């Protein structure tokens, strides 16, 4: 039976994928195929390349201690408005206003090389068809609106396209496509795994908690809420085809909370351990 892992997106929450894989690997469960979307594409590529959860975890630790990550954290992810008080909140309002103005004049807030530099520290730039575990990255073509499944060619290019968060990172021109984050079309790529020959697919769900009392005080909050609802409904449809679902308790983390990576990884490991009895019975 061809076993596949379908790894969904979620930014920093996707680090939980590593913990789940580690727990399953310790129990002797190894996939024949990994299909990743967004952050799931990053983690999936790392595992498909190394075939070792310990190696993936080690690469992550090394990256989080790197000058590149520390500079990214300082520039983009370090401000906590609740802790910063009045002046921190005031600065954030100015930042938000600048971002809104920039969004009308450029394609993204960050240059693509910010992400590509990170990937070059996390991955070796192999060809996908040469990896020890079959691997596919899912992206979305902005021209046709269709999903694009990348199974051959340069690994880093495929992961770059699958994880190019709209508005944050620019789309990636590749062949005849203009590619962006795979979450737009295949948020948890279960169906894609089955299309690639999976006989049994385990879906890893690291989505954010669905807030039942959202703030709806301005245009951006309303637009974001609509996007959350669409994402939530799409995820339910995509997950329905999974043979088994593992959901780490990471919904409370924001997609940008990479500094909490150790807690997120541990949550994934615990979820993997808890899933083993049910998973072994089914398999």
């Amino acid at each position: 039976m061809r076993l596949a892992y379908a790894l969904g997106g979620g930014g920093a929450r996707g680090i939980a994928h590593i913990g789940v894989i580690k727990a399953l690997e310790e129990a002797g469960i190894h996939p024949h195929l990994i299909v990743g979307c967004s952050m799931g594409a990053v983690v999936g590529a790392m595992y498909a390349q190394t075939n070792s959860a310990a190696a993936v975890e080690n690469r992550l630790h090394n990256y989080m201690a790197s000058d590149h990550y520390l500079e990214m954290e300082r520039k983009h992810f370090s401000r906590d408005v609740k802790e910063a008080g009045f002046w921190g909140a005031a600065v954030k309002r100015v930042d938000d206003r600048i971002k809104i103005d920039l969004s009308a004049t450029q394609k993204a807030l960050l240059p693509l090389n910010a992400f590509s530099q990170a990937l070059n520290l996390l991955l070796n730039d192999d060809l996908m068809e040469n990896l020890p575990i079959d691997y596919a990255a899912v992206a979305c073509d902005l021209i046709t609106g269709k999903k694009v499944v990348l199974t051959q060619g340069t690994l880093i290019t495929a992961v770059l396209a699958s994880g190019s968060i709209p508005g944050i990172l620019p789309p990636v021109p590749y062949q005849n496509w203009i590619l962006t984050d795979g979450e737009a079309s295949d948020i948890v790529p279960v169906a894609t795994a089955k299309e690639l020959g999976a006989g049994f697919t385990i879906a890893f769900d690291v989505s954010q908690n669905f807030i039942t009392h959202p703030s709806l005080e301005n245009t951006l909050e309303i637009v974001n809420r609509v996007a959350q609802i669409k994402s939530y409904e799409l995820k339910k449809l995509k997950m329905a085809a999974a043979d088994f679902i593992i959901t780490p308790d990471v919904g409370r983390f924001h997609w940008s909370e990479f500094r909490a990576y150790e807690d997120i990884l541990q949550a994934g490991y615990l979820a993997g351990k808890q899933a083993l009895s049910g998973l072994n019975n089914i398999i």
Side-chain angles (χ1 to χ4, degrees), residues 63 68 72 76 110-119 160 169:
Y63 174 70
H68 179 268
M72 289 285 291
H76 303 293
L110 299 178
L112 198 60
N113 65 2
F115 188 23
S116 64
Q117 288 171 8
L119 292 180
L160 191 67
L169 294 164

Side-chain angles (χ1 to χ4, degrees), residues 200-214:
F200 190 94
T201 301
I202 304 174
F204 296 26
D205 176 19
V206 294
S207 54
Q208 196 164 24
N209 291 341
F210 189 75
I211 301 170
T212 55
H213 296 87

Side-chain angles (χ1 to χ4, degrees), residues 11 23 47 68 80 87 122 166 169 184-185 195 222 247 249 257 273:
Y47 190 64
H68 179 268
D80 187 332
W87 289 110
L122 293 168
L169 294 164
S185 56
E195 290 164 9
I222 293 170
T247 306
D249 183 21
E257 287 187 74
K273 284 289 190 184

Side-chain angles (χ1 to χ4, degrees), residues 1-172:
M1 180 175 61
R2 187 166 162 81
L3 173 64
Y5 291 169
L7 310 185
R13 295 188 303 274
I15 293 171
H17 293 320
I18 302 172
V20 177
I21 291 171
K22 180 180 179 181
L24 300 188
E25 184 185 276
E26 289 176 351
I29 299 173
H30 301 272
H32 304 98
L33 168 68
I34 299 175
V35 184
C37 166
S38 195
M39 189 62 182
V42 178
V43 172
M46 293 171 70
Y47 190 64
Q49 187 172 73
T50 62
N51 200 16
S52 165
V56 173
E57 189 172 357
N58 186 56
R59 284 189 178 186
L60 175 67
H61 282 297
N62 289 341
Y63 174 70
M64 298 302 289
S66 70
D67 291 339
H68 179 268
Y69 172 74
L70 295 174
E71 181 66 11
M72 289 285 291
E73 172 79 7
R74 185 186 67 80
K75 282 186 176 180
H76 303 293
F77 303 129
S78 61
R79 181 172 295 121
D80 187 332
V81 174
K82 291 181 181 179
E83 295 178 0
F86 171 80
W87 289 110
V91 170
K92 185 179 185 303
R93 287 181 67 102
V94 173
D95 282 353
D96 289 344
R97 182 68 256 175
I98 292 171
K99 290 174 182 177
I100 293 168
D101 291 341
L102 286 174
S103 68
T105 60
Q106 61 187 48
K107 292 183 179 179
L109 296 175
L110 299 178
L112 198 60
N113 65 2
F115 188 23
S116 64
Q117 288 171 8
L119 292 180
N120 276 289
L121 293 171
L122 293 168
L123 294 165
N124 300 324
D125 201 11
D126 290 331
L127 295 176
M128 285 184 281
E129 53 267 37
N130 294 337
L131 299 177
I133 301 174
D134 289 348
Y135 172 77
V138 179
C140 179
D141 178 25
L142 288 172
I143 305 301
T144 63
K146 296 180 179 179
K147 76 175 179 182
V148 174
V149 182
L150 301 169
T151 59
Q152 294 184 326
T154 306
L155 179 63
I156 287 181
T157 300
V159 177
L160 191 67
S162 181
S164 182
I165 304 170
I168 305 297
L169 294 164
V172 178

Side-chain angles (χ1 to χ4, degrees), residues 218-236:
N218 56 55
T219 303
L220 279 178
E221 289 180 345
I222 293 170
V223 170
N224 285 336
R225 180 58 173 178
V226 171
Q228 289 169 3
I229 293 170
K230 288 180 179 179
S231 178
Y232 180 73
E233 293 300 322
L234 176 62
K235 184 195 74 172
K236 287 196 298 183

